Amino acid sequence: MFRIFKALLILSFISLMTVLFVKYGVTVSDLFASILVFLPTGWAILLIGQALGPMMRSSGCWELIMELARAYEEIMGLLVFMPIAILSWFPSVSEIQTRLLYHQAFCRGLTFLRS
């Protein structure tokens, strides 16, 4: 039943995006702006759910709050670490990082300590 719900949710999301792009002329920058607007809103909903934890547990909504928190955590992790992962594929970025980290050593000339 849950898989059917997820499939319907994905299909409705795709159809909604299609309607927004075709009929209303939504651009990709509009989509990113709306994502940036809804990120603090999701965080606020999670914090309110945590503050009302005892009431949420008694009403049976605590699992929903926990699932929303897990999804929010995954999405935020993707937003934070995906650019780092993409940049790590390029060899020049590693060279720039090494140059930034060891700039003083490169300027003075690398010396090795031998014991």
Side-chain angles (χ1 to χ4, degrees), residues 11-86:
L11 288 175
S12 61
F13 177 76
I14 291 172
S15 62
L16 177 72
M17 286 296 126
T18 305
V19 168
L20 286 176
F21 280 113
V22 172
K23 184 170 179 165
Y24 295 109
V26 174
T27 62
V28 176
S29 63
D30 294 335
L31 196 63
F32 283 126
S34 65
I35 288 171
L36 288 176
V37 168
F38 285 116
L39 283 178
T41 307
W43 186 252
I45 290 171
L46 288 176
L47 289 178
I48 291 169
Q50 285 180 348
L52 300 174
M55 188 173 70
M56 291 290 175
R57 284 188 186 98
S58 65
S59 68
C61 293
W62 185 247
E63 281 75 23
L64 176 65
I65 296 293
M66 293 298 292
E67 193 63 35
L68 283 174
R70 284 186 194 103
Y72 192 84
E73 188 76 23
E74 288 176 4
I75 291 169
M76 291 305 293
L78 281 174
L79 287 176
V80 169
F81 290 115
M82 191 57 72
I84 296 169
I86 290 172

